[in-house]
Amino acid sequence: MKVMISMPMAGKHDETVRKEYNNIVEQFKKLHIEVVDTYFTDDTTNISRPGIYFLAKSISAMEDVDAVYFADGWRDARGCEIEHQVCMKYGIKTLYSDFLNYGENNQGIISKINTGTITAINSDGLIGSNTGIVYR
């Protein structure tokens, strides 16, 4: 399985963003899930709208992934919202924070599925308190 990370970056220092990004990548590695690197560091000095430039690169990368993970705060970030709409319109699976941070022991929703302790799947096919996995 290949996953891309969509996370808010505006107003954050590069160090903070990179640390959060790397933390999420490490959590996926523990689950043996490949993360497609979409942490772009291109020089945008001569680009008039860097946000659109990076968004276009992210959307292009979505063609090669099985799912997109939306980090906390994604609903408040324009780029993340657009990436989410692309997922919805083109049938790309979406993962949310409870996919990695589910339960008291922070075991992730995958651990709960493997141990058979998931108790509810709603009528939309969503699992988890924050719609952790979307099945289509």
Side-chain angles (χ1 to χ4, degrees):
M1 176 181 211
K2 287 190 205 176
V3 172
M4 178 184 123
I5 299 169
S6 177
M7 60 183 288
M9 297 182 185
K12 296 181 182 180
H13 292 289
D14 287 341
E15 294 173 8
T16 303
V17 172
R18 189 46 130 169
K19 184 178 179 180
E20 291 174 12
Y21 183 86
N22 287 340
N23 181 42
I24 294 169
V25 169
E26 288 305 312
Q27 291 181 63
F28 276 110
K29 281 183 180 179
K30 289 177 185 175
L31 296 171
H32 305 284
I33 295 174
E34 178 184 351
V35 176
V36 174
D37 188 5
T38 55
Y39 186 85
F40 304 117
T41 58
D42 305 18
D43 179 14
T44 57
T45 305
N46 296 321
I47 296 175
S48 62
R49 292 188 176 97
I52 294 173
Y53 172 80
F54 288 123
L55 179 60
K57 289 186 74 157
S58 292
I59 290 173
S60 179
M62 292 168 83
E63 191 270 326
D64 292 325
V65 301
D66 300 302
V68 178
Y69 173 83
F70 290 89
D72 286 337
W74 71 269
R75 293 176 193 264
D76 300 319
R78 290 177 300 190
C80 295
E81 285 183 308
I82 293 167
E83 291 167 347
H84 194 266
Q85 283 298 314
V86 170
C87 289
M88 296 295 103
K89 297 293 183 182
Y90 288 90
I92 299 170
K93 289 178 176 53
T94 55
L95 310 173
Y96 303 90
S97 60
D98 62 345
F99 181 82
L100 296 173
N101 304 314
Y102 185 81
E104 293 176 23
N105 296 324
N106 216 23
Q107 294 178 307
I109 200 163
I110 291 298
S111 298
K112 297 294 182 183
I113 290 172
N114 289 339
T115 60
T117 57
I118 290 292
T119 56
I121 300 174
N122 71 18
S123 61
D124 295 328
L126 306 176
I127 298 175
S129 60
N130 191 20
T131 63
I133 303 175
V134 178
Y135 289 96
R136 296 188 184 267

Short mmCIF file of all heavy atoms in Angstrom, two decimals, residues 28 68-72 74-75 84 87-88 92-102 109 126-127 129-134 136:
data_model
loop_
_atom_site.label_atom_id
_atom_site.label_comp_id
_atom_site.label_asym_id
_atom_site.label_seq_id
_atom_site.Cartn_x
_atom_site.Cartn_y
_atom_site.Cartn_z
N PHE A 28 3.75 5.16 9.84
CA PHE A 28 3.37 4.31 8.71
C PHE A 28 4.40 3.21 8.48
O PHE A 28 4.04 2.08 8.14
CB PHE A 28 3.16 5.14 7.43
CG PHE A 28 1.79 5.74 7.33
CD1 PHE A 28 1.60 7.10 7.45
CD2 PHE A 28 0.69 4.93 7.11
CE1 PHE A 28 0.34 7.65 7.36
CE2 PHE A 28 -0.59 5.47 7.01
CZ PHE A 28 -0.76 6.84 7.14
N VAL A 68 -4.71 8.64 0.78
CA VAL A 68 -4.12 9.89 1.28
C VAL A 68 -4.47 10.01 2.75
O VAL A 68 -5.63 9.86 3.14
CB VAL A 68 -4.62 11.12 0.50
CG1 VAL A 68 -4.03 12.40 1.08
CG2 VAL A 68 -4.29 11.00 -0.99
N TYR A 69 -3.45 10.26 3.57
CA TYR A 69 -3.62 10.45 5.00
C TYR A 69 -3.76 11.95 5.26
O TYR A 69 -2.90 12.74 4.87
CB TYR A 69 -2.41 9.90 5.76
CG TYR A 69 -2.44 10.21 7.24
CD1 TYR A 69 -3.17 9.42 8.12
CD2 TYR A 69 -1.73 11.29 7.76
CE1 TYR A 69 -3.20 9.70 9.48
CE2 TYR A 69 -1.75 11.57 9.11
CZ TYR A 69 -2.49 10.78 9.96
OH TYR A 69 -2.51 11.06 11.31
N PHE A 70 -4.83 12.35 5.93
CA PHE A 70 -5.07 13.75 6.26
C PHE A 70 -4.76 13.98 7.74
O PHE A 70 -5.44 13.47 8.62
CB PHE A 70 -6.51 14.14 5.92
CG PHE A 70 -6.74 14.18 4.44
CD1 PHE A 70 -7.15 13.06 3.75
CD2 PHE A 70 -6.48 15.34 3.73
CE1 PHE A 70 -7.32 13.07 2.37
CE2 PHE A 70 -6.64 15.38 2.35
CZ PHE A 70 -7.06 14.24 1.68
N ALA A 71 -3.68 14.74 7.97
CA ALA A 71 -3.22 15.03 9.33
C ALA A 71 -4.17 16.02 10.01
O ALA A 71 -4.93 16.74 9.35
CB ALA A 71 -1.81 15.60 9.29
N ASP A 72 -4.11 16.05 11.33
CA ASP A 72 -4.94 16.97 12.11
C ASP A 72 -4.81 18.39 11.57
O ASP A 72 -3.72 18.84 11.21
CB ASP A 72 -4.53 16.95 13.58
CG ASP A 72 -4.98 15.68 14.29
OD1 ASP A 72 -5.95 15.04 13.82
OD2 ASP A 72 -4.37 15.33 15.31
N TRP A 74 -6.35 19.47 8.83
CA TRP A 74 -6.48 19.51 7.37
C TRP A 74 -7.69 20.31 6.92
O TRP A 74 -7.65 20.95 5.87
CB TRP A 74 -6.53 18.10 6.77
CG TRP A 74 -7.79 17.34 7.03
CD1 TRP A 74 -8.04 16.50 8.07
CD2 TRP A 74 -8.97 17.35 6.24
NE1 TRP A 74 -9.30 15.98 7.98
CE2 TRP A 74 -9.90 16.49 6.85
CE3 TRP A 74 -9.35 18.01 5.06
CZ2 TRP A 74 -11.18 16.27 6.34
CZ3 TRP A 74 -10.62 17.79 4.55
CH2 TRP A 74 -11.52 16.93 5.18
N ARG A 75 -8.76 20.31 7.71
CA ARG A 75 -9.98 21.03 7.31
C ARG A 75 -9.78 22.55 7.27
O ARG A 75 -10.56 23.26 6.66
CB ARG A 75 -11.12 20.71 8.26
CG ARG A 75 -11.59 19.28 8.17
CD ARG A 75 -12.67 19.00 9.21
NE ARG A 75 -12.92 17.60 9.36
CZ ARG A 75 -13.88 16.93 8.73
NH1 ARG A 75 -14.67 17.57 7.91
NH2 ARG A 75 -14.04 15.65 8.93
N HIS A 84 -8.48 16.72 -0.50
CA HIS A 84 -9.58 15.88 -0.02
C HIS A 84 -10.68 15.78 -1.07
O HIS A 84 -11.22 14.69 -1.31
CB HIS A 84 -10.12 16.44 1.30
CG HIS A 84 -11.00 15.49 2.02
ND1 HIS A 84 -12.37 15.49 1.88
CD2 HIS A 84 -10.70 14.49 2.90
CE1 HIS A 84 -12.89 14.53 2.64
NE2 HIS A 84 -11.90 13.91 3.26
N CYS A 87 -9.72 13.38 -3.71
CA CYS A 87 -9.93 12.00 -3.24
C CYS A 87 -11.39 11.60 -3.37
O CYS A 87 -11.71 10.50 -3.85
CB CYS A 87 -9.49 11.85 -1.78
SG CYS A 87 -7.72 11.90 -1.53
N MET A 88 -12.29 12.46 -2.93
CA MET A 88 -13.72 12.15 -2.96
C MET A 88 -14.22 11.98 -4.40
O MET A 88 -14.96 11.07 -4.70
CB MET A 88 -14.54 13.25 -2.27
CG MET A 88 -14.27 13.40 -0.78
SD MET A 88 -14.76 11.96 0.19
CE MET A 88 -13.18 11.21 0.51
N ILE A 92 -10.21 7.98 -4.33
CA ILE A 92 -8.98 7.63 -3.62
C ILE A 92 -9.32 7.48 -2.14
O ILE A 92 -10.00 8.34 -1.57
CB ILE A 92 -7.90 8.72 -3.83
CG1 ILE A 92 -7.57 8.85 -5.32
CG2 ILE A 92 -6.64 8.40 -3.02
CD1 ILE A 92 -6.71 10.05 -5.66
N LYS A 93 -8.87 6.40 -1.53
CA LYS A 93 -9.16 6.17 -0.11
C LYS A 93 -8.57 7.30 0.73
O LYS A 93 -7.51 7.83 0.43
CB LYS A 93 -8.59 4.83 0.34
CG LYS A 93 -9.33 3.65 -0.23
CD LYS A 93 -8.69 2.35 0.20
CE LYS A 93 -9.45 1.14 -0.26
NZ LYS A 93 -9.74 1.08 -1.67
N THR A 94 -9.27 7.63 1.82
CA THR A 94 -8.82 8.68 2.73
C THR A 94 -8.62 8.10 4.12
O THR A 94 -9.43 7.29 4.59
CB THR A 94 -9.84 9.83 2.79
OG1 THR A 94 -11.12 9.31 3.14
CG2 THR A 94 -9.94 10.56 1.47
N LEU A 95 -7.54 8.50 4.75
CA LEU A 95 -7.22 8.09 6.12
C LEU A 95 -7.12 9.36 6.96
O LEU A 95 -6.67 10.39 6.47
CB LEU A 95 -5.88 7.34 6.15
CG LEU A 95 -5.71 6.20 5.16
CD1 LEU A 95 -4.28 5.66 5.21
CD2 LEU A 95 -6.70 5.10 5.45
N TYR A 96 -7.48 9.23 8.23
CA TYR A 96 -7.45 10.38 9.13
C TYR A 96 -6.64 10.04 10.38
O TYR A 96 -6.15 8.92 10.52
CB TYR A 96 -8.88 10.80 9.48
CG TYR A 96 -9.70 11.11 8.25
CD1 TYR A 96 -10.43 10.11 7.62
CD2 TYR A 96 -9.69 12.38 7.69
CE1 TYR A 96 -11.15 10.38 6.46
CE2 TYR A 96 -10.42 12.65 6.54
CZ TYR A 96 -11.14 11.65 5.93
OH TYR A 96 -11.85 11.92 4.78
N SER A 97 -6.53 10.99 11.28
CA SER A 97 -5.64 10.83 12.43
C SER A 97 -5.93 9.60 13.27
O SER A 97 -5.01 9.00 13.81
CB SER A 97 -5.66 12.08 13.31
OG SER A 97 -6.96 12.32 13.80
N ASP A 98 -7.19 9.18 13.37
CA ASP A 98 -7.47 8.00 14.19
C ASP A 98 -6.98 6.71 13.53
O ASP A 98 -6.92 5.68 14.17
CB ASP A 98 -8.93 7.90 14.59
CG ASP A 98 -9.89 7.76 13.44
OD1 ASP A 98 -9.49 8.02 12.29
OD2 ASP A 98 -11.05 7.42 13.67
N PHE A 99 -6.58 6.77 12.28
CA PHE A 99 -5.96 5.60 11.64
C PHE A 99 -4.68 5.23 12.37
O PHE A 99 -4.38 4.06 12.58
CB PHE A 99 -5.65 5.91 10.17
CG PHE A 99 -5.03 4.76 9.44
CD1 PHE A 99 -5.81 3.74 8.93
CD2 PHE A 99 -3.67 4.70 9.24
CE1 PHE A 99 -5.25 2.68 8.25
CE2 PHE A 99 -3.09 3.64 8.56
CZ PHE A 99 -3.88 2.63 8.07
N LEU A 100 -3.93 6.23 12.80
CA LEU A 100 -2.67 6.00 13.51
C LEU A 100 -2.81 6.15 15.02
O LEU A 100 -2.00 5.62 15.76
CB LEU A 100 -1.60 6.97 13.01
CG LEU A 100 -1.21 6.82 11.54
CD1 LEU A 100 -0.26 7.94 11.13
CD2 LEU A 100 -0.58 5.47 11.27
N ASN A 101 -3.81 6.87 15.50
CA ASN A 101 -3.91 7.23 16.92
C ASN A 101 -5.22 6.79 17.53
O ASN A 101 -5.91 7.55 18.17
CB ASN A 101 -3.77 8.74 17.09
CG ASN A 101 -2.52 9.27 16.50
OD1 ASN A 101 -1.46 8.70 16.70
ND2 ASN A 101 -2.62 10.34 15.75
N TYR A 102 -5.58 5.54 17.38
CA TYR A 102 -6.87 5.06 17.86
C TYR A 102 -6.71 4.32 19.18
O TYR A 102 -5.83 3.49 19.34
CB TYR A 102 -7.48 4.11 16.82
CG TYR A 102 -8.87 3.65 17.17
CD1 TYR A 102 -9.96 4.47 16.91
CD2 TYR A 102 -9.08 2.42 17.75
CE1 TYR A 102 -11.24 4.05 17.22
CE2 TYR A 102 -10.36 2.00 18.06
CZ TYR A 102 -11.43 2.82 17.79
OH TYR A 102 -12.70 2.42 18.10
N ILE A 109 -5.79 2.37 14.38
CA ILE A 109 -7.00 1.62 14.03
C ILE A 109 -6.66 0.28 13.39
O ILE A 109 -7.39 -0.69 13.53
CB ILE A 109 -7.92 2.48 13.14
CG1 ILE A 109 -9.34 1.93 13.19
CG2 ILE A 109 -7.41 2.58 11.73
CD1 ILE A 109 -10.38 2.89 12.71
N LEU A 126 -17.68 3.89 6.96
CA LEU A 126 -16.58 4.56 7.63
C LEU A 126 -16.30 3.91 8.98
O LEU A 126 -17.21 3.57 9.71
CB LEU A 126 -16.89 6.05 7.84
CG LEU A 126 -17.27 6.82 6.58
CD1 LEU A 126 -17.64 8.24 6.95
CD2 LEU A 126 -16.14 6.80 5.58
N ILE A 127 -15.03 3.75 9.30
CA ILE A 127 -14.63 3.15 10.56
C ILE A 127 -13.90 4.19 11.37
O ILE A 127 -13.08 4.92 10.86
CB ILE A 127 -13.68 1.95 10.34
CG1 ILE A 127 -14.37 0.86 9.53
CG2 ILE A 127 -13.17 1.41 11.66
CD1 ILE A 127 -13.46 -0.28 9.17
N SER A 129 -13.67 6.93 15.05
CA SER A 129 -14.34 8.10 15.60
C SER A 129 -14.19 9.32 14.70
O SER A 129 -14.98 10.24 14.76
CB SER A 129 -13.78 8.41 16.99
OG SER A 129 -12.39 8.67 16.89
N ASN A 130 -13.16 9.35 13.89
CA ASN A 130 -12.93 10.48 12.99
C ASN A 130 -12.94 9.99 11.55
O ASN A 130 -12.17 10.44 10.73
CB ASN A 130 -11.60 11.16 13.33
CG ASN A 130 -11.43 12.48 12.63
OD1 ASN A 130 -12.42 13.07 12.20
ND2 ASN A 130 -10.20 12.92 12.51
N THR A 131 -13.78 9.04 11.25
CA THR A 131 -13.88 8.41 9.92
C THR A 131 -12.50 7.96 9.44
O THR A 131 -12.01 8.39 8.41
CB THR A 131 -14.55 9.32 8.89
OG1 THR A 131 -13.77 10.49 8.68
CG2 THR A 131 -15.95 9.69 9.32
N GLY A 132 -11.89 7.08 10.21
CA GLY A 132 -10.52 6.65 9.96
C GLY A 132 -10.22 6.02 8.63
O GLY A 132 -9.19 6.28 8.05
N ILE A 133 -11.08 5.19 8.10
CA ILE A 133 -10.81 4.55 6.82
C ILE A 133 -12.08 4.64 5.99
O ILE A 133 -13.17 4.40 6.50
CB ILE A 133 -10.44 3.07 6.99
CG1 ILE A 133 -9.25 2.90 7.92
CG2 ILE A 133 -10.13 2.43 5.63
CD1 ILE A 133 -8.93 1.46 8.22
N VAL A 134 -11.94 4.96 4.76
CA VAL A 134 -13.09 4.98 3.85
C VAL A 134 -12.95 3.80 2.91
O VAL A 134 -11.94 3.69 2.21
CB VAL A 134 -13.15 6.29 3.04
CG1 VAL A 134 -14.31 6.25 2.08
CG2 VAL A 134 -13.27 7.48 3.97
N ARG A 136 -14.38 1.91 -0.39
CA ARG A 136 -15.21 2.19 -1.58
C ARG A 136 -15.33 0.93 -2.40
O ARG A 136 -14.50 0.13 -2.49
CB ARG A 136 -14.58 3.29 -2.41
CG ARG A 136 -14.55 4.57 -1.63
CD ARG A 136 -14.11 5.69 -2.54
NE ARG A 136 -13.98 6.88 -1.76
CZ ARG A 136 -14.93 7.77 -1.60
NH1 ARG A 136 -16.08 7.61 -2.19
NH2 ARG A 136 -14.75 8.83 -0.86
#
